Amino acid sequence: MSKMTIPSTYRALSLGIHITDLKEAVSQLQVVEKSTPKLQSKQVLIKMEGAACNPSDLLTLTGSYGVKKALPMVPGWVGVGTVVATGKSPLTKWLKGKRVVCGTQAANEDGTWAEYFVTDYMMCLPVSNKIETAQAANLMLNPLTAIGLIDIAVKTKAKAIVQNAAMGQVGKLVTYFAAKKGIEVIQVVRKEAQVAQLKAEGNQYVLNSSDENFEKDLRKLSSDLNATVGLDAVGGTLAGAMLNLLPAKARWVVYGDLSGEAVSGFDPMELLYQDKTIEGFHLKNWLDQQSMLRIMRKMSMVKKLLEKGTISMQFGQEATIEDATDALRLYVEDMSNAKLLLKFN
C-alpha cells in the first residue's frame, strides 16, 4: 500500500459515566478528539473500517460487563480495519498494510468505536477483501462463541441441545455448527411469528415460550431427543424453568443476559437429585483454554464460510460516528434480529 499519513488526532465515541438504564447510557456517548498514541513494541495502529455493536458492548455502557474499563473510555470489543503503523517488535511488522479483524478484552485499552484503534498484534487476524465489512467486523465474536458453545455439547456427547434467543445471531450460528456435528437443536422463541420463520428456514423443533403448552412440550421433546445441554442468552426466571424440564445430568450454559435479570426459577432438587448443573461461558475464557493452532484453524474455517456466504451475520443498520447515538437508541429497542454496524470510512 502507499505510505499513509498518520494523523496526530482522530475521532472516537467516548463514554464518561455509567448509567443502568440502557437508553440513558447510550445518550451519554459523545464524539471526542483523541491524540494518536505512541505505540508500544508489540502494538499496532489500525485505521478502522467498521465495528459491530453487540449486547456485550451495551453491557459495557451500563457498567454491567465483566471487564471494567476506567472512565472515560471508548467502547467496542471487535471490528475490522487496516494496520497503518506498528511497534518496533519484528513480530508486528508483517501486519503493516494488511486488512485485519481485531479486538480487545483489555481493561486498559480503548475500544473499536473510533476512527483509529490500538491493540496488541496478537489480537489481529488478516482477512480477505472478499469478506464485506459487516461480516468481518464481527468475525472474532459471534462465530467463535457459537463454536465454543457447540464444543461443550460435543465434549459432553450431547445428542441434542435446547437454546433460547434462537432468533439471534449466535443462535443461528449455533444451529449451523450443531448440524455439522449431528446434534439436534430445540429452538425456543417468544412469538408465534418467530416460530413460523424458523420453521420456514428448515428448523424442525421450534417452541414458543409464551404458549400454554410450552412446559409440557419442552419436557417431552427434550426427553425424546435427550437434550442434555441448554444454551442461555437471556437469563431470568425462564432459564431456571427450562432447566427444570431437561433430562437428568443436563448442563445449563449461560452466555448472555439479554433480560437483565438474574438466572432464577430453577428447582434445587433438580440440581441435587438429577445431577444438573449451571455454568457460565465467556469467549475469552474459552479461547484461553485453546491452543493457538486450534484457534487459528477455527478462524480460518470461519473466514472460508463467510467468503462463500455459507454463514453470515445480519446487520440491519449502518451508522457513522456522527449519528451513532441515534442509531444505538433504535438498536436497543430490538436486539433480537439484525445488528448495528458502525462505519468509519
Side-chain angles (χ1 to χ4, degrees), residues 53-73:
C53 176
N54 290 288
S56 56
D57 296 306
L58 300 181
L59 288 173
T60 305
L61 301 184
T62 62
S64 305
Y65 193 64
V67 178
K68 306 293 184 183
K69 290 177 178 277
L71 296 173
M73 61 92 171

Side-chain angles (χ1 to χ4, degrees), residues 188 207-209 211-218 238 242:
V188 177
L207 300 177
N208 183 349
S209 62
D211 192 287
E212 61 180 11
N213 294 318
F214 170 69
E215 292 192 4
K216 175 184 175 182
D217 292 342
L218 179 57
L238 179 61
M242 288 173 63

Side-chain angles (χ1 to χ4, degrees), residues 27 37 54 75 123-124 211 228 253 291 345:
S27 298
N54 290 288
M123 293 299 296
C124 300
D211 192 287
T228 53
V253 183
S291 69
N345 292 332

